[in-house]
Structures are given as C-alpha cells and as structure tokens.
Amino acid sequence: MSVRAARPRPAGRAELYAVPVPVSPSRLWLVALAGIVAVGALYHWVQSRGHLTPAVFTDELLFSELARSIASGDGFVVRDQPLFFPAFLPALLQAPAWLAGSTPLAYALVKVLNTLLMCSAALPAYWLARQLVRPAYALIVAAGTVAGGGMLYHGYLTSEAAAYPVFLLTVAVCVRALAAPSKSRDLIALAVLLLAVLTRAQFVVLPLVFVVAILLVGRPVRRHAVALLALGGGAALGLAAGASALGFYEGARSLEYPLGETVRWTGWTAALLPFGAGLLVVPGALLGIAFALRRPRSATERGFALLTALLLVLMPLQGGLIASGQSHKPFERYVFYLLPLVLLAFFAFAERNVSSRRLYAVGALALAGLALLIPFASLALAPFAFDSPTLSAVETLARWTSQGDAAALFAAAGVVGALCAAALQRRPVVLGIASVALAFLIGLAAYDGDRRMTRRTLDSLAAAHPDWLERSGIDEADVLVLPGGSLHAGWVLESWNRNVGRTFHLGDVPDDPLPYTEVGLNGDGTVVTGAGEPVRSRYLVLNEAGTQVQLVGRLLARPGAGLALYRNDGALRLRSYADGLHRDGWIRSVARYRAWPAKASRGWYRVTLALPAGRPARVVDVEAGPVRQRATLRAGASLSFRVPVSGQPLPELGIRIDRADFVDADTLRPRLVAARVKALEFVADKRSRN
C-alpha cells in the first residue's frame, strides 16, 4: 500500500500535517517490480558464480564460523571458543545453508540466499518511493537499488546482503513514523531499528539519526515519547555496559582517530558516492533535499529529506573514522546503502516541476569540480578494492587501457555527467535511467575485478581441492600456525573445511582477530600452553610456510599452500624447529634452528648453503653457544659449516646473512630471502647416546 499526503494547512503554521490516504497501486506496477527483483536476482546469481572463494578475512570467516556453529546447535562459538558478536542476524540467516552435506554446496547455497536477500532491497525502496513520487519514478528507484556496484557484496559471507534491505526498510518505517506520529508507528520503528543494529553494528547510526529527526521535525515531540524513552534507555544501557557491549568490535576503542585523517577519508568516501549513484542525478538530488528541508510539500517529504541529509553526513563520517583508525582508504562499502535515497531525492525534486537552472548549473559545476579533484590514480592502487566498488571499476578500466588513462577517464566521465545533468534537467526519466545504467556499468567492471581477485586467492592460498581436509573424513583437526606461516592460507583452510577445530600460535605470528591459543616449547620440544600444560591433538595441520619443523607423529598429507597434516599420539612434540626456512629451501637473512634428539646430548649442526648464479656475494655468520663461524657465500657456489654443540637441551643455532633479495614480487606472498639451504640438521655423536 502507498500513501498520498494531504496538502499542508495554510501558511503561518509551523508544522505540516500529512494524513495518510490509502492508494491501491496498479497491478502492472507490482508486476514490473516483481520482474525487476527476479531479473536482478538472476543476473547477480550468475555473477556470483565467478566469485570462487571467501577472500575478505577475517570478516567472511567470522560470519561463516558463527553460521556453522548456530546450524550445529552450539550457539556463538568460533574455533571451539565462545565469542560474543552483537550483529548476529546475518549469521543466523546463513545458518540453514550450512546444514548441507558439503562445504562447496553450503557455500553455493549461501551465495544464492545472499543474492535473494540483497535483491529484495528493491521492495522497501519502492515502498518508500511511492510515499513521495509517482509509480514510474518509484520503479526506476527500485531498478537502481539492484543495479549499483555495491550489489557485488552478495557474493561475500558478510553482513551487507542482509543489511541492504533492512537499511531501506528502516528508513521507510522511520519516515512514516515522522510523518504521522503515533504510538504504534513508534513501536514499529523501534522494532526495525533494533533489527538494523542486530544486522549490522555500524547501523547504530540509524537510532541516532531518528532521535535527531524527532527533535527537529517530529512535531509534536510528545507523540514520540515512547520512541525517545526506549532509545534513551537503550543508549544508557549501552554506556553502562561499556566496551563489553561491542563484543568482537571491542578493539575499536583502542584505535586512534586523528582529526585530519578522519576528515580526509570522510571526504574521499563521500566523494565516491556520486559515482556509485550514477552521477547524473546528483545535482537534482541535492536540490531535492534542500527544497524539501526548506519548503516541504508534506510531512513525509520533510522527514525523508532530513533523514537522508543526516545519513549523507554521518555514514561517510563513520567510514572516515574506521579509515583513519585502521585501514587508511575510502570506505564506499559504508555508504552504498544511500544510492536509492539519492535517486529518490532526485525524483522528489523532479515532482516539484520548478525552474532552477542557475541552481542546477551550480550543482553540476560542483560535481564536475569534484570529479577533477578525486585522486583516482592514488586511491585505486590495488588489483581489487573490496571496500570500494568504484575504485575497483577504476582498477578494471586500468587493466583494459593503461594505468594513467583510467583515472583520467573517470574524471572526464564526471565532467561529462555534470554537463549532461545540467542539459537534461527537464527530462528526469532520461537522467534517472541513464544514472542507473552508469551505476550498473560500474558494478559490471567491479565484478570483473572481483572474479580475478577470488581466482588469484584460490590459486595462491588453497590446495587443488580447497575442501581437502573435509574430504579426508577426519572428525576434527587443529591448526598450529608457525612464524612465517600464512594466516590467509589458514583462513582459507577454515573457510572450506568445517572440521577445523582449535587454532594455536607458536612464536612470532601476526595477530589473528579470531580466538586462538598462544603456545610455546619446553626443554624437550613439547608444545605447551601458557600455563605449561602439554597440548594434545589427534590430528594437526601445520601452517608452516616460513618455518619448517619435524613433528613427532605421522605425516598424512601435504596439500600445498604451506600446510601439512599429521596424526599424533599423545602430547605434541617437535624433533626440530627451523625459523626462517621456507618449504622451497629459501632461507631468510636471519634464521634460527633448534633440535631435540631423543637420546643424544652431544654432536654438531651441519649447515650447507648455496647461492644461485647472478646474485651478489654475501657474508654468512653462524653461532651456537660459544662457537662462532664466518665465511663468504659466492654466486653459483655452496658453503658448509660444522658447528659442534653439547648440552641438554642443545643450544640454539643462529644464522645471519648480511644481505637478501626480493623474490615472488608478482604473487600474494612476496619474500625477502638470502640463500638456499641444501642441508640443515643436527648430527648426533654416537658416543653421546645412552
């Protein structure tokens, strides 16, 4: 059902009164809306088939772990440890798909579900639009909702797919509550606001915006007493709970948010929104918001304009805070939700049928200047920008042309778009459809970058069969991450194999946002927890790309990506540990080696290094206990050391090489390496054996 607002009461009254009048929409418009949803779902599902693997970590792994845990009846558990996550509804929605028999099938089902969820955003967008504009305009808004570059997020196991329709539903419900205050509408608004926050934690901005809108235009304010009391109580409870209410996001309080950097990234995030919205409607949309705030035609239009204006400020600011505190890049992912609101604001202005050529020209010139100011070349440096579909489109265009031309073409497109917006301001349907088409093209280019990124991730970080561990039939296998091991390879392993259990970190491993257990080594090579308890694991996957160990146990498989599967009986114990040694034999310029022989307490370390031809000579120092040796390693030659050691435990062997070379620069895992290892072992003195 849509509503038509009554005319405002005579001038001189401070408020507008809107009496909702039911209007029966034509079935043809509803059929057309259903067609948009169906065609959009089919198109985006086809595109999702090119999205081959989870690749944005740890976001996707977190949601998939929660969904699997919910599906199995374990609640909020990640890596066998409880984890409080406030925005759990996307994981709850994905959980039924994980009841499927295999991870590849479950992954495919989740992508189908996300496609349907995200395309359903056209429904609340159309409903909101029909409160303000004619059916034809509302239908274009619905089409634009499912055409933009942000739609590529349906392929990811994150919250965006569920958050998009919930966001638009929340805005629509809040607009109705502002237009015609009542206790029932406030209660409905409170319910959808809670739904929004439980869907995406960043939507905490929506209750704030609703409260500000009530105080500014929600006359009489006393009619919103229920909403204000409930939201005020919720804010008080959140403040009383403190950082614990943030759950997984608790680390945000320890970040620094420099004012200058926040303003900078807020600006660039907001500057990308016109491109995501298709450019041509932006001048008219800004005028539509300005006219609606100054001379609203109805209470519905006034509430919509105020909510949209506040969101256009606060959502980019939210992205700017995250960028300044952690990521240092634009966060278009935080603002793509606004695209339907921008389209609707444009058509609300078109409904006025007012002549504003000068204002429109000023807006168009501002848009052209903005397009020339955005540093596309410096912002779009990575092969794919998950946080910005627009920058991903720039990167795709750069591959099709040349690195310098892509940024210039996007800037030129902004200028041309501004000129077209000024020239065609009296043809809103043409401008609206053209903007939707431009937004669709940006999404098409972003999809190309997404396909390339996921293919590269799968080829570089996964085995030939990503679900190899699940195929093995093992009930559960833990993961031990060693220094130099790839956390991303481990995350891909967990994403594709539901039988991954606990995660242990040994030594200097980069921080993992998900739960893990820090472990160490005792005097005989046994792996122990911080409390000194031996770690026991029947099956263990070693993540050992940059550190090589010999484990007391039976090697079952080496599927690739620096992973190895062992079967172990009893406590985990190492025979040897080589920190800085890669699986392919390259060693870093600083490396360590330890050995725990079962019976010997005296012998020597044997080290043989080689240097490929064409590389500069380098000096090698080896040291174990009081023994120190030095020699020069030359290109095309090899060098051997014999370092005597004794004791229980044996002293550690240190290797230092005075220079290193950069290799694998064109892969996901570039490395600095110094030499190749032909031999690195402890040789026991037979006389020391018991």
Side-chain angles (χ1 to χ4, degrees), residues 377-583:
S378 61
L379 293 177
L381 294 176
F384 175 75
F386 167 74
D387 293 301
S388 175
T390 298
L391 293 181
S392 296
V394 175
E395 292 151 356
T396 298
L397 186 60
R399 290 198 309 272
W400 294 345
T401 56
S402 66
Q403 292 290 339
D405 292 338
L409 286 172
F410 260 76
V415 174
V416 173
L419 295 175
C420 291
L424 299 173
Q425 62 171 297
R426 306 299 295 176
R427 298 178 180 273
V429 172
V430 174
L431 284 177
I433 293 176
S435 285
V436 171
L438 287 174
F440 174 80
L441 291 175
I442 286 178
L444 188 66
Y447 268 130
D448 181 79
D450 173 79
R451 286 192 297 272
R452 291 171 59 92
M453 182 272 292
T454 57
R455 167 53 65 188
R456 189 180 181 203
T457 299
L458 200 63
D459 291 344
S460 301
L461 299 177
H465 296 288
D467 59 332
W468 64 272
L469 187 60
E470 192 171 294
R471 291 186 181 200
S472 70
I474 294 172
D475 289 336
E476 184 174 88
D478 298 322
V479 175
L480 177 62
V481 186
L482 301 172
S486 169
L487 286 179
H488 281 82
W491 292 331
V492 170
L493 172 76
E494 291 180 80
S495 297
W496 282 99
N497 299 272
R498 286 180 283 188
N499 55 342
V500 173
R502 300 168 296 175
T503 292
F504 302 104
H505 286 190
L506 174 62
D508 187 15
V509 176
D511 189 36
D512 188 338
L514 299 184
Y516 65 89
T517 300
E518 193 77 41
V519 297
L521 297 172
N522 68 8
D524 65 350
T526 300
V527 180
V528 295
T529 65
E533 295 293 327
V535 174
R536 299 179 183 276
S537 179
R538 180 72 166 174
Y539 294 97
L540 184 73
V541 176
L542 288 182
N543 186 340
E544 56 174 1
T547 298
Q548 302 305 311
V549 301
Q550 287 183 323
L551 185 69
V552 177
R554 183 158 63 93
L555 177 64
L556 299 180
R558 285 197 183 277
L563 304 175
L565 174 64
Y566 284 84
R567 178 173 175 172
N568 180 71
D569 294 313
L572 294 180
R573 194 170 73 83
L574 304 185
R575 287 197 177 97
S576 66
Y577 176 95
D579 181 8
L581 177 61
H582 295 276
R583 173 56 55 186

Side-chain angles (χ1 to χ4, degrees), residues 125 128-130 132-145 277 280-289 292 297 301 304 339-354 360 424-436:
L128 173 62
R130 283 296 291 122
L132 294 167
V133 299
R134 66 191 66 176
Y137 291 170
L139 203 63
I140 298 175
V141 172
T145 301
L280 306 182
V281 298
V282 173
L286 294 176
L287 289 177
I289 294 171
R297 295 176 302 157
E301 186 179 67
F304 165 76
L339 183 152
L341 305 186
V342 173
L343 277 172
L344 180 52
F346 167 77
F347 283 118
F349 174 72
E351 289 277 23
R352 289 177 174 271
N353 198 28
V354 297
Y360 218 99
L424 299 173
Q425 62 171 297
R426 306 299 295 176
R427 298 178 180 273
V429 172
V430 174
L431 284 177
I433 293 176
S435 285
V436 171

Side-chain angles (χ1 to χ4, degrees), residues 217-238:
V217 303
R219 304 292 186 237
V221 173
R222 67 178 182 277
R223 300 285 297 275
H224 295 286
V226 172
L228 291 175
L229 287 173
L231 293 173
L237 288 175

Side-chain angles (χ1 to χ4, degrees), residues 129-202:
R130 283 296 291 122
Q131 298 179 51
L132 294 167
V133 299
R134 66 191 66 176
Y137 291 170
L139 203 63
I140 298 175
V141 172
T145 301
V146 298
M151 289 297 296
L152 68 82
Y153 293 123
H154 69 85
Y156 294 84
L157 308 181
T158 51
S159 63
E160 281 82 3
Y164 195 28
V166 169
F167 173 84
L168 294 173
L169 176 64
T170 304
V171 172
V173 168
C174 289
V175 166
R176 285 180 64 83
L178 290 170
S182 72
K183 183 177 179 180
S184 61
R185 285 197 174 94
D186 271 6
L187 289 174
I188 295 173
L190 288 172
V192 296
L193 286 167
L194 177 62
L195 180 72
V197 174
L198 294 178
T199 302
R200 184 165 173 81
Q202 291 80 1

Side-chain angles (χ1 to χ4, degrees), residues 180-403:
S182 72
K183 183 177 179 180
S184 61
R185 285 197 174 94
D186 271 6
L187 289 174
I188 295 173
L190 288 172
V192 296
L193 286 167
L194 177 62
L195 180 72
V197 174
L198 294 178
T199 302
R200 184 165 173 81
Q202 291 80 1
F203 284 172
V204 71
V205 71
L206 289 173
L208 173 62
V209 166
F210 186 51
V211 169
V212 173
I214 287 174
L215 297 178
L216 293 179
V217 303
R219 304 292 186 237
V221 173
R222 67 178 182 277
R223 300 285 297 275
H224 295 286
V226 172
L228 291 175
L229 287 173
L231 293 173
L237 288 175
L239 291 174
S244 62
L246 299 175
F248 179 75
Y249 299 112
E250 186 176 356
R253 65 173 182 166
S254 62
L255 299 176
E256 295 183 359
Y257 304 97
L259 178 61
E261 286 295 290
T262 299
V263 171
R264 174 192 176 194
W265 292 117
T266 298
W268 292 139
T269 297
L272 293 175
L273 180 59
F275 289 85
L279 290 170
L280 306 182
V281 298
V282 173
L286 294 176
L287 289 177
I289 294 171
F291 272 95
L293 290 174
R294 186 176 180 185
R295 295 196 299 271
R297 295 176 302 157
S298 67
T300 301
E301 186 179 67
R302 181 181 57 186
F304 165 76
L306 182 57
L307 287 174
T308 302
L310 291 172
L311 290 170
L312 283 171
V313 173
L314 293 180
M315 292 187 78
L317 176 60
Q318 197 176 53
L321 284 169
I322 298 299
S324 67
Q326 189 174 39
S327 303
H328 309 295
K329 58 185 176 182
F331 266 81
E332 191 182 356
R333 178 163 62 111
Y334 277 52
V335 300
F336 81 93
Y337 305 93
L338 298 171
L339 183 152
L341 305 186
V342 173
L343 277 172
L344 180 52
F346 167 77
F347 283 118
F349 174 72
E351 289 277 23
R352 289 177 174 271
N353 198 28
V354 297
S355 178
S356 53
R357 291 186 178 275
R358 290 184 179 179
L359 290 175
Y360 218 99
V362 170
L365 286 174
L367 178 63
L370 175 66
L372 294 174
L373 286 175
I374 298 177
F376 288 108
S378 61
L379 293 177
L381 294 176
F384 175 75
F386 167 74
D387 293 301
S388 175
T390 298
L391 293 181
S392 296
V394 175
E395 292 151 356
T396 298
L397 186 60
R399 290 198 309 272
W400 294 345
T401 56
S402 66
Q403 292 290 339

Side-chain angles (χ1 to χ4, degrees), residues 32-46:
L33 176 63
I36 287 173
V37 174
V39 171
L42 178 62
Y43 166 74
H44 292 295
W45 172 75
V46 171

